[in-house]
Amino acid sequence: MTMQRLAWAAPDAIVMHPGPINRGVEIDSELADSERSVILQQVTNGIAVRMAVLSMVMGVEMPA
């Protein structure tokens, strides 16, 4: 994915990727680090979600 390709998207479109990313292969660094990228937030939230799902599956209570 490149900034040129993103130009075709809606002006309010965001860039998402679950990580880890291959900079320069899957996505340009310029795009990954741009204001329209929510990759870091997505990765951070994904960790918490996976932990919650695993704890529910295993029957372990998470501290509040």
Side-chain angles (χ1 to χ4, degrees):
M1 184 64 155
T2 64
M3 291 296 278
Q4 291 174 336
R5 288 185 179 168
L6 185 61
W8 288 90
D12 60 345
I14 59 174
V15 176
M16 300 178 75
H17 191 290
I21 61 173
N22 293 316
R23 291 176 180 263
V25 177
E26 297 176 334
I27 187 169
D28 283 350
S29 288
E30 178 185 14
L31 182 55
D33 298 330
S34 73
E35 292 179 2
R36 295 175 70 176
S37 171
V38 294
I39 295 171
L40 291 179
Q41 295 94 325
Q42 184 180 0
V43 169
T44 300
N45 292 335
I47 293 168
V49 169
R50 286 190 295 276
M51 287 174 58
V53 169
L54 285 172
S55 70
M56 290 173 62
V57 169
M58 295 172 57
V60 176
E61 291 192 30
M62 298 292 290

